[in-house]
């Protein structure tokens, strides 16, 4: 009958429209996720980028102000990296940066996060870790990088600065203390760790 044909047409139209809307929603959701990754990840190493770091540090400082939860960060820099690039080329330099990221990711906890914030500078954020634990991890990372022969006949080492978040600090204060500690490690001859007490 005409009524049943109309009903069938309406039902089929609704189903097709629903399927198209669902597919569009799925595609849009995936694109949003991809944009978020592009906005917060370093394309070379897959580590977080500066934008991702800023968001994480703001979150940690806010949590600290509410609950006093301890957190520390490790700022690390590859020693004499320009020389590696000059001697071996940027392709080798890129491979070293990827390998350093892998070494760090294999050692840190799932609750920790790594960010690439400069050419050869990385920050590891350690939630729930005091200065002592952070320094211990920094030394492990330094030793692991030193032990891996990342370039034949050329030692690749890192210097590290460590700081625990203190009461009354904002993210910039915290980063600044880690940066000062890193400079002390470099002044001490590189391939070393310095902590901001």
């Amino acid at each position: 009958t005409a009524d049943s044909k109309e009903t069938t047409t309406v039902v089929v139209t609704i189903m097709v429209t629903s399927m198209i809307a669902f597919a569009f929603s799925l595609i849009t959701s995936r694109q949003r996720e991809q944009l978020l990754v592009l906005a917060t990840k370093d394309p070379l190493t897959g580590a977080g980028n500066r934008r991702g770091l800023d968001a994480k540090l703001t979150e940690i400082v806010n949590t600290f102000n509410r609950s006093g939860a301890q957190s520390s960060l490790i700022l690390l820099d590859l020693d004499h990296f320009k020389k590696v690039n000059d001697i071996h080329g940027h392709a080798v330099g890129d491979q070293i940066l990827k390998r350093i990221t892998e070494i760090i990711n294999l050692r840190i906890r799932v609750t920790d996060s790594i960010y690439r914030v400069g050419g050869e500078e990385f920050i590891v954020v350690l939630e729930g870790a005091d200065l002592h634990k952070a320094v211990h991890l920094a030394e492990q990372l330094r030793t692991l990088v030193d032990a891996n022969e990342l370039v034949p006949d050329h030692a690749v080492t890192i210097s590290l600065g460590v700081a625990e978040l203190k009461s009354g600090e904002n993210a910039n204060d915290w980063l600044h203390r880690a940066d000062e500690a890193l400079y002390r490690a470099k002044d001490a001859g590189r391939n070393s760790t310095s902590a901001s007490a």
Side-chain angles (χ1 to χ4, degrees):
T1 65
D3 282 348
S4 66
K5 281 184 181 176
E6 279 183 28
T7 304
T8 302
T9 302
V10 168
V11 168
V12 168
T13 303
I14 290 170
M15 286 174 61
V16 169
T17 305
S18 295
M19 285 168 41
I20 290 170
F22 176 74
F24 180 75
S25 169
L26 202 61
I27 290 166
T28 304
S29 176
R30 285 188 183 146
Q31 287 174 336
R32 191 179 306 114
E33 286 172 16
Q34 287 172 337
L35 283 172
L36 184 63
V37 166
L38 289 172
T40 58
K41 294 282 185 190
D42 171 54
L44 176 67
T45 63
N49 64 13
R50 188 65 195 228
R51 179 180 285 165
L53 174 68
D54 291 344
K56 174 56 86 175
L57 294 184
T58 299
E59 174 193 318
I60 289 174
V61 170
N62 290 339
T63 301
F64 178 77
N65 290 336
R66 283 194 311 273
S67 67
Q70 291 177 314
S71 288
S72 296
L73 54 83
I74 300 169
L75 177 57
L76 65 96
D77 188 64
L78 278 77
D79 298 325
H80 304 296
F81 192 62
K82 185 181 181 310
K83 191 184 290 183
V84 172
N85 276 332
D86 291 346
I87 294 169
H88 299 283
H90 288 279
V92 170
D94 286 352
Q95 289 304 313
I96 291 170
L97 294 172
K98 289 180 190 176
R99 188 70 188 106
I100 295 277
T101 306
E102 289 170 9
I103 290 167
I104 294 168
N105 273 321
L106 285 169
R107 178 54 197 87
I108 62 178
R109 306 168 302 173
V110 291
T111 54
D112 301 332
S113 45
I114 177 174
Y115 302 86
R116 182 178 175 209
V117 293
E120 65 272 9
E121 209 169 61
F122 294 86
I123 291 180
V124 181
V125 179
L126 311 169
E127 295 183 66
D130 62 13
L131 187 65
H132 177 74
K133 287 179 184 167
V135 168
H136 182 69
L137 175 61
E139 270 299 291
Q140 288 182 333
L141 295 176
R142 186 190 63 74
T143 305
L144 283 168
V145 170
D146 194 23
N148 274 270
E149 193 175 312
L150 299 173
V151 182
D153 306 320
H154 189 104
V156 176
T157 60
I158 56 174
S159 296
L160 308 95
V162 186
E164 181 181 345
L165 181 59
K166 289 184 175 180
S167 182
E169 280 188 321
N170 61 32
N172 286 335
D173 299 330
W174 188 19
L175 277 170
H176 182 68
R177 285 194 304 108
D179 199 41
E180 288 179 335
L182 173 62
Y183 276 100
R184 285 196 299 274
K186 287 192 173 288
D187 287 343
R190 301 177 195 266
N191 192 19
S192 64
T193 301
S194 177
S196 175

